[in-house]
Amino acid sequence: MSVIVIYRSSGCNICAQATDNVRLILAELGIDYDEVVLERIVGEGSAEIEELRQINLYGVPVIKIGDKVLVQSDTLSAWKVREFVQECLKGMVMVPHALGER
């Protein structure tokens, strides 16, 4: 199962822009955002921040597909996000995740 995970902070304008970039790219690819994206809100002491620390990342936004990540300033470039998503999704089968995971 492949899910795109976006680690973000609430109230973060950069995180919102990164999320918008992912929405745009998925729409262009004909993939339903709500079916394949899991948004993880990162807060101090949260399980989500620990997940990021385990992969040696300490800031948001982060877009993760499988074991590949796109971080911070790169997430603001629509063409970098497009290239990243397309490369990661080649040959993958996107399967909807359970709604309770959001």
Side-chain angles (χ1 to χ4, degrees):
M1 174 167 75
S2 298
V3 174
I4 299 169
V5 182
I6 300 175
Y7 290 91
R8 56 178 291 172
S9 174
S10 42
C12 169
N13 292 333
I14 294 169
C15 297
Q17 185 176 347
T19 303
D20 289 345
N21 283 337
V22 172
R23 279 192 178 112
L24 175 70
I25 302 320
L26 293 177
E28 288 175 4
L29 296 172
I31 300 171
D32 184 359
Y33 176 88
D34 292 325
E35 293 294 317
V36 298
V37 175
L38 176 60
E39 289 187 40
R40 305 286 294 190
I41 304 301
V42 174
E44 193 56 44
S46 67
E48 292 78 12
I49 197 114
E50 290 306 316
E51 289 172 21
L52 286 175
R53 288 182 178 151
Q54 287 177 7
I55 55 175
N56 294 319
L57 295 173
Y58 296 91
V60 291
V62 171
I63 301 169
K64 184 173 185 276
I65 304 175
D67 60 351
K68 297 181 177 145
V69 294
L70 189 68
V71 296
Q72 298 157 335
S73 62
D74 286 344
T75 66
L76 300 180
S77 167
W79 70 267
K80 284 185 180 181
V81 172
R82 180 179 291 105
E83 187 176 82
F84 175 73
V85 169
Q86 287 176 325
E87 184 62 32
C88 289
L89 298 184
K90 279 184 185 173
M92 286 185 155
V93 175
M94 300 303 292
V95 177
H97 62 278
L99 292 178
E101 291 180 15
R102 282 192 171 238

